[in-house]
Amino acid sequence: MIGLRHQPRQRKEVIKMGFLGYRYASMIVLLAALAGCTQQQTTQELKEKTAQATAEVKHDAEAVAAGIREGWSRDRPLDLNTATREQLLSLPGVTASEADRVIAGRPYNDPGEVVKRRIMPKTEYDKIADQVTARK
């Protein structure tokens, strides 16, 4: 009879251990899932940082290219027949309305035509005369 009494106790202990085992197993699964989420979050953060760095490099490259274009155009006269409004506005003393009139009056055979056609006053043209040309 003593053996029979010990058996139920052992079963209860096995059952308790089994319940605790499931509990620990579920906690391990939960921790593994959280670790996976952390890995995904880290991967997502890395992707976002990479995208941000790429955007910054692209912006910097565009700024360098714009600087090179600006420097190149300073060495060469600005063509009144192809210049953009922004390029014309970058010339000293040129107003927005004058830039619009220069564009509307194209094409030019000679840069001095902007004065002859009364698109720009001679005093203003004299300030930019050495910085402009009219190519066909």
Side-chain angles (χ1 to χ4, degrees):
M1 285 204 170
I2 294 177
L4 293 175
R5 285 185 177 175
H6 288 290
Q7 265 184 336
R9 228 185 243 168
Q10 287 176 350
R11 283 186 184 167
K12 286 182 182 178
E13 288 175 10
V14 169
I15 291 171
K16 284 182 183 178
M17 296 271 296
F19 177 71
L20 289 175
Y22 287 122
R23 205 171 191 189
Y24 287 125
S26 63
M27 288 174 57
I28 290 171
V29 169
L30 179 62
L31 288 173
L34 289 175
C37 290
T38 304
Q39 174 107 20
Q40 286 178 336
Q41 185 178 12
T42 303
T43 303
Q44 184 63 26
E45 289 173 356
L46 180 61
K47 286 180 182 178
E48 289 173 3
K49 287 179 181 177
T50 302
Q52 183 180 6
T54 301
E56 289 174 4
V57 167
K58 181 181 176 185
H59 181 269
D60 291 347
E62 288 172 354
V64 167
I68 290 170
R69 280 192 303 271
E70 182 181 333
W72 188 324
S73 66
R74 284 184 185 164
D75 295 340
R76 298 185 315 177
L78 185 64
D79 185 0
L80 295 176
N81 289 321
T82 60
T84 65
R85 185 174 194 265
E86 289 76 25
Q87 289 172 323
L88 292 169
L89 288 172
S90 72
L91 295 169
V94 175
T95 65
S97 61
E98 288 171 341
D100 292 338
R101 288 194 309 261
V102 167
I103 292 170
R106 291 177 178 165
Y108 302 100
N109 295 318
D110 177 75
E113 286 183 30
V114 292
V115 175
K116 293 176 192 171
R117 295 186 194 176
R118 297 185 183 189
I119 293 171
M120 183 180 293
K122 178 148 176 47
T123 56
E124 293 299 317
Y125 174 74
D126 288 342
K127 293 178 187 176
I128 63 167
D130 60 337
Q131 298 176 32
V132 295
T133 189
R135 296 185 196 110
K136 283 192 168 188

